[in-house]
Amino acid sequence: MKSFAAFTLAGLLAPAALAQHQTFVVNPDASEVKIVLKTTHELVSGAFHIQSGSIGFDSSAPRMSGSVVVLAASGKTGNSSRDKKMNKDVLEVEQHATISFDPKTYTGAIAPSGDSNLQVTGAFTLLGVPHEITIPILVHIDGATASAKTHFVIPYVQWGLKNPSFMFWKADNDVAVDLSLAGQILK
């Protein structure tokens, strides 16, 4: 469910050393958001579709702008009744069609090519409410192509979402998110 947040981190990939302002444009078809929710009986794995992503960044300052957006109703866990409950009761997709991450700042240095480890702080929006979060992101730049990967945990119950537990089936209050973004850097 929170895997979306994962997905927003990808925008961090943007820079090349010499250019001041650049934009990382996410290719939704080459990117993915995966989640894992621990329950009393199983690990529930799921995936969500990234709708769009574009992150602007100025290499002379640790600021970012833009957003990575995930379609809330796109989540699939391999069980249609569970997905229906997730969409209706947990993610409330009728009222909140998207989940997003809007990066604002980062720490670390972005190498003009190769790998860079960053800590990105921004707003992760669930049920229309933004929550500040800092996420570790591994960025890889190769010419005009870039990728970003992150793993983080979303405290979805603490952030106001309903826990899907029922009777003897209990779910954790946190969900792990793996976000992989791929795309192009525009100068």
Side-chain angles (χ1 to χ4, degrees):
M1 297 155 215
K2 298 140 193 196
S3 48
F4 321 103
F7 19 104
T8 50
L9 305 175
L12 312 172
L13 310 174
L18 300 175
Q20 290 245 354
H21 183 77
Q22 296 180 338
T23 302
F24 172 66
V25 179
V26 175
N27 176 347
D29 294 331
S31 303
E32 63 184 5
V33 175
K34 293 185 176 184
I35 63 161
V36 174
L37 177 64
K38 292 181 185 178
T39 73
T40 51
H41 300 297
E42 63 184 324
L43 287 177
V44 175
S45 298
F48 288 82
H49 179 71
I50 296 172
Q51 179 180 19
S52 63
S54 179
I55 305 296
F57 138 7
D58 185 333
S59 61
S60 67
R63 292 182 300 244
M64 296 180 159
S65 62
S67 187
V68 176
V69 179
V70 173
L71 293 172
S74 70
K76 303 288 183 242
T77 65
N79 179 314
S80 60
S81 63
R82 178 173 51 218
D83 294 345
K84 184 177 178 181
K85 179 177 178 65
M86 174 178 64
N87 286 338
K88 182 180 181 215
D89 298 335
V90 180
L91 296 176
E92 301 176 15
V93 300
E94 292 294 322
Q95 296 86 4
H96 308 285
T98 62
I99 298 166
S100 64
F101 178 71
D102 302 340
K104 303 296 181 199
T105 63
Y106 69 93
T107 58
I110 300 175
S113 66
D115 293 338
S116 302
N117 287 299
L118 305 175
Q119 294 288 321
V120 177
T121 300
F124 191 91
T125 301
L126 283 170
L127 301 184
V129 179
H131 303 275
E132 184 173 300
I133 188 171
T134 299
I135 326 170
I137 298 178
L138 173 64
V139 174
H140 180 81
I141 297 174
D142 184 8
T145 63
S147 64
K149 293 183 180 187
T150 184
H151 172 83
F152 58 99
V153 175
I154 297 289
Y156 73 97
V157 172
Q158 179 182 334
W159 286 2
L161 282 76
K162 294 178 185 138
N163 185 304
S165 296
F166 64 95
M167 299 196 38
F168 299 109
W169 188 89
K170 303 295 181 194
D172 281 0
N173 290 332
D174 303 318
V175 65
V177 176
D178 286 297
L179 175 65
S180 296
L181 300 172
Q184 299 291 313
I185 296 177
L186 305 178
K187 296 178 183 183

